[in-house]
Amino acid sequence: MTLPSFITLLRPDPGETTAVGTLGPPGTSSEVAATLLAHRLATPGDAAAPVHLFDTYEEAGAALHARRVTHVVVANAYKAVHHFYMDAALDLSDVFVMDTPLYGIAVRCDAGPVPVSPTIASHPSPVPIIDQLLPRRHTSYKVIHSDSTSAAARAAVEGTADLALTTVPAAQAHGLKFISRTRPIRMVWSVFTRQRRPGRGGRAA
């Protein structure tokens, strides 16, 4: 994993960070990014703020509006990230680059032979790397969209998909084994907070 490069747009006030929200469940790349941010924002000598995981980025955003978290981390590859940028009640406070945990195509450890044309559970954003990773013996496949990499791993465990495009942490958490090589995805992450500055077309929080 590369060392992240942060571009800080709004420096949080000391002691302001009470919780960081992002996409769950445990094992997502978003959780890794949010945990890194929580440690970065911690006051020296103090414990990092807790990371709260939500079923969707939108639920994390709702928690931010409701003041149940102070920061939300969203992957810029997320197809609906523009809703966060356009929200007049939110500020973009940080942007950073971080490699995701290793991605690969995994199967349940006790699964039988994988079909030649398998179904593959995946979050929509990393779907393009399936063609890079899927072993050549599989001549075609069908993608089943999942809400996160962890949800994709769970789909393989539950049998709703033959395979999962998922991360190493999620595969380990769900007892999957990889049938492909693995690779990271270099990704931009955006950090949103409630707006504190008036005069941008919205109210200050």
Side-chain angles (χ1 to χ4, degrees):
M1 182 179 296
T2 60
L3 292 175
S5 174
F6 283 87
I7 301 173
T8 299
L9 305 175
L10 292 174
R11 177 65 63 183
D13 294 331
E16 180 185 351
T17 308
T18 60
V20 179
T22 195
L23 179 68
T28 62
S29 300
S30 297
E31 181 190 22
V32 175
T35 301
L36 185 150
L37 177 76
H39 283 281
R40 174 180 176 269
L41 295 178
T43 302
D46 291 341
V51 172
H52 294 174
L53 302 178
F54 298 87
D55 289 339
T56 65
Y57 283 125
E58 285 74 19
E59 289 185 17
L64 180 59
H65 280 285
R67 301 177 182 269
R68 291 188 284 122
V69 299
T70 51
H71 297 70
V72 167
V73 176
V74 183
N76 264 33
Y78 177 52
K79 64 180 181 179
V81 69
H82 61 281
H83 291 298
F84 288 86
Y85 282 100
M86 303 303 168
D87 190 333
L90 302 183
D91 270 323
L92 176 67
S93 63
D94 277 286
V95 177
F96 62 97
V97 176
M98 186 197 79
D99 282 1
T100 66
L102 295 174
Y103 271 81
I105 297 174
V107 66
R108 198 174 68 239
C109 287
D110 61 351
V114 178
V116 174
S117 299
T119 54
I120 304 175
S122 175
H123 186 275
S125 297
V127 164
I129 68 171
I130 291 177
D131 285 335
Q132 302 171 21
L133 300 176
L134 190 64
R136 292 183 179 179
R137 64 180 177 273
H138 300 292
T139 55
S140 64
Y141 59 88
K142 177 183 178 182
V143 175
I144 299 174
H145 287 161
S146 299
D147 289 334
S148 68
T149 51
S150 286
R154 189 168 60 244
V157 171
E158 294 172 351
T160 55
D162 299 312
L163 304 170
L165 176 64
T166 192
T167 61
V168 167
Q172 292 173 340
H174 292 279
L176 302 182
K177 62 181 179 181
F178 288 102
I179 65 165
S180 73
R181 66 182 179 89
T182 57
R183 55 153 290 191
I185 302 172
R186 184 153 296 178
M187 194 173 293
V188 175
W189 304 84
S190 293
V191 183
F192 296 92
T193 55
R194 290 185 303 276
Q195 197 218 139
R196 293 176 298 164
R197 299 175 299 172
R200 294 179 54 221
R203 297 178 301 170

